[in-house]
Amino acid sequence: ADRVANGLSATFVVGIDFFQSEPEVLRSLLRLRASATKIGGKVSVYMGSEADRCTFHPKVYWFKRKREEALVVGSANMTSGGFSDNHELSVALSGADGKWRKRLDKWIAERVKERDIVEAKPALINRYEQRRDIYRATMKAAEKRAHRSMDAPSGQTIVLNDLLAEMQERSEE
C-alpha cells in the first residue's frame, strides 16, 4: 500500500487452472486495487476465465513507479510457495524503456478480448474458491486411494474396486 501511495502501478494476471492460486491472495490484490483507486494509483487485477478453453499458465509481473518500470517473468505461481518457499527462477527487466510494457499491455488486451482472462471480481473469486475446494477434496481422496493401492500386497485390485464403485455411484445419479 505504501508503494501505491508513492505512485506504483501494478497489473496482475493470475491463472486459475490447476487450482494453485490461493483465493486469499486474489482477495488481497482486490483490496490493494481498492486502496490504489482511493489515492489515485492504478492496480489492475485479471484472472483466468472460467471457460477453461485453454490452460492459462504464464507468470509475468509488471510494476511501474514514477519513471521506473519492472517486468518479472518466471516460474513462480501466485502462491505462498511460489513467492517464499519454493525454488523458483525469475528474470527482472527494469528501466525506463516502455517497449516491452506496450507489448505486455497489448498481450493482456488480446487475452481480455479473447476472454482467456477477465477482470477479477469478488463473485468470481468466490466461485473459484468453491471449485478449488471441491478439486482439493477430490484430489485428497484420490491420493488416499493411490496410497492404499501402492501399499497393498501384490496382486490386489484396490484401485479397480474403488473405480468400479465410483462408476456405479455415478450411474445411479
Side-chain angles (χ1 to χ4, degrees), residues 121-156:
K121 295 183 177 178
L124 179 58
I125 294 171
N126 291 342
R127 284 195 308 272
Y128 165 70
E129 184 173 36
Q130 289 171 344
R131 292 174 61 213
R132 181 177 183 260
D133 289 347
I134 292 167
Y135 177 83
R136 285 188 158 195
T138 303
M139 290 304 291
K140 193 174 265 189
E143 203 172 288
K144 284 180 183 179
R145 281 198 312 253
H147 282 288
R148 276 200 332 261
S149 224
M150 288 185 281
D151 295 341
S154 180
Q156 286 195 359

Side-chain angles (χ1 to χ4, degrees), residues 54-171:
C54 62
T55 298
F56 187 80
H57 204 56
K59 288 90 165 190
V60 179
Y61 308 94
W62 169 65
F63 304 92
K64 180 181 179 200
R65 179 179 158 180
K66 295 185 182 173
R67 295 173 219 231
E68 187 179 355
E69 298 180 23
L71 178 71
V72 178
V73 180
S75 64
N77 285 318
M78 188 163 278
T79 62
S80 56
F83 284 129
S84 63
D85 299 334
N86 298 350
H87 293 284
E88 302 286 352
L89 180 63
S90 298
V91 176
L93 307 169
S94 62
D97 181 6
K99 288 182 183 178
W100 46 263
R101 182 196 144 215
K102 289 177 186 170
R103 290 184 188 134
L104 182 59
D105 286 344
K106 181 180 177 188
W107 179 82
I108 289 171
E110 288 171 359
R111 300 291 62 79
V112 170
K113 181 180 177 186
E114 294 294 321
R115 306 262 321 137
D116 293 328
I117 61 174
V118 295
E119 182 183 351
K121 295 183 177 178
L124 179 58
I125 294 171
N126 291 342
R127 284 195 308 272
Y128 165 70
E129 184 173 36
Q130 289 171 344
R131 292 174 61 213
R132 181 177 183 260
D133 289 347
I134 292 167
Y135 177 83
R136 285 188 158 195
T138 303
M139 290 304 291
K140 193 174 265 189
E143 203 172 288
K144 284 180 183 179
R145 281 198 312 253
H147 282 288
R148 276 200 332 261
S149 224
M150 288 185 281
D151 295 341
S154 180
Q156 286 195 359
T157 57
I158 292 174
V159 170
L160 291 177
N161 288 337
D162 286 346
L163 290 175
L164 180 59
E166 189 175 315
M167 289 171 60
Q168 288 171 337
E169 285 177 21
R170 285 187 188 167
S171 67

Side-chain angles (χ1 to χ4, degrees), residues 17-30:
D17 295 297
F18 309 116
F19 300 98
Q20 295 293 313
S21 298
E22 295 175 9
E24 195 49 44
V25 171
L26 294 167
R27 289 185 183 102
S28 294
L29 292 175
L30 293 188

